[in-house]
């Protein structure tokens, strides 16, 4: 499903009060584009939370990743068994930003990501400048994101011993981008994603 006339969708911190108090890290999930019509992704998540304690399948991997990056020593078993209230708290404390907020698509062809990231750089990167995240998890779009930076501000590409790609934002102090699978990529077991993220982040992120 795609709607090319969609007005810009609001994104960013899910709950601004929680976001600015987040510790030890402020975690932003940088995704591709909305998958359903809505005016505000942040308001949509809060509305779903208010209606039910149950967490939709798509949101759970995002919440799990936020918990893992906040506590890099946390075991997968304890995160897998986390109570709904803890998962919601992790999600509400995070931020979600899309590369393209003017189109809806359930599947984004990988060959479209580069143009999407470059064409909308000012919009999505401005959100990063405003929110000042500590960690940006690039959900299946790392290569397109690093290539989108303009000449004169190209980041230095790095790779951890685990193979994870990462870079430091040259325009935002203390902001590190990490490569990660898209949250909806359920073909990769979540426990494997957890191990990949935590082992890599322990090496990459400041203590």
């Amino acid at each position: 499903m795609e709607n090319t006339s969609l007005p810009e969708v609001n994104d960013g911190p899910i709950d601004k009060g929680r976001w600015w108090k987040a510790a030890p890290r402020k975690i932003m999930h940088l995704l591709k584009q909305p998958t359903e019509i809505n005016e505000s992704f942040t308001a949509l998540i809060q509305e779903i939370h208010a209606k039910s304690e149950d967490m939709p399948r798509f949101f759970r991997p995002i919440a799990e990743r936020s918990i893992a990056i906040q506590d890099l020593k946390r075991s997968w078993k304890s995160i897998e068994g986390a109570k709904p209230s803890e998962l919601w708290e992790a999600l509400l404390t995070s931020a979600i930003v899309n590369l393209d907020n003017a189109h809806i698509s359930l599947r984004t062809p990988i060959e479209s990501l580069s143009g999407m990231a470059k064409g909308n750089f000012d919009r999505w990167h401005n959100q990063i400048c405003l929110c000042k995240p500590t960690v940006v998890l690039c959900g299946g779009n790392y290569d397109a994101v690093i290539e989108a930076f303009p000449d004169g501000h190209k980041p230095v590409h790095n790779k951890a011993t685990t193979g994870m790609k990462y870079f430091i934002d040259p325009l935002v102090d203390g902001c590190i981008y990490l490569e990660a699978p898209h949250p909806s990529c359920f073909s990769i077991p979540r426990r494997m994603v957890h191990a990949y993220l935590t082992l890599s982040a322990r090496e990459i992120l400041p203590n």
Side-chain angles (χ1 to χ4, degrees), residues 24 138 149:
C138 297
F149 279 77

mmCIF file of all heavy atoms in Angstrom, residues 24 138 149:
data_model
loop_
_atom_site.group_PDB
_atom_site.id
_atom_site.type_symbol
_atom_site.label_atom_id
_atom_site.label_comp_id
_atom_site.label_asym_id
_atom_site.label_seq_id
_atom_site.Cartn_x
_atom_site.Cartn_y
_atom_site.Cartn_z
ATOM 1 N N PRO A 24 21.266 5.421 30.731
ATOM 2 C CA PRO A 24 22.417 6.287 30.441
ATOM 3 C C PRO A 24 22.483 6.759 28.989
ATOM 4 O O PRO A 24 23.345 7.560 28.647
ATOM 5 C CB PRO A 24 23.601 5.368 30.738
ATOM 6 C CG PRO A 24 23.093 3.995 30.411
ATOM 7 C CD PRO A 24 21.641 3.993 30.808
ATOM 8 N N CYS A 138 20.283 2.176 13.081
ATOM 9 C CA CYS A 138 19.849 2.230 11.681
ATOM 10 C C CYS A 138 19.189 0.899 11.325
ATOM 11 O O CYS A 138 19.876 -0.104 11.120
ATOM 12 C CB CYS A 138 21.042 2.487 10.768
ATOM 13 S SG CYS A 138 21.859 4.065 11.052
ATOM 14 N N PHE A 149 25.031 11.851 3.896
ATOM 15 C CA PHE A 149 25.644 13.068 4.431
ATOM 16 C C PHE A 149 26.296 13.869 3.302
ATOM 17 O O PHE A 149 26.937 13.306 2.414
ATOM 18 C CB PHE A 149 26.688 12.718 5.497
ATOM 19 C CG PHE A 149 26.093 12.421 6.845
ATOM 20 C CD1 PHE A 149 25.475 11.202 7.091
ATOM 21 C CD2 PHE A 149 26.125 13.357 7.861
ATOM 22 C CE1 PHE A 149 24.913 10.921 8.326
ATOM 23 C CE2 PHE A 149 25.573 13.096 9.106
ATOM 24 C CZ PHE A 149 24.957 11.867 9.342
#
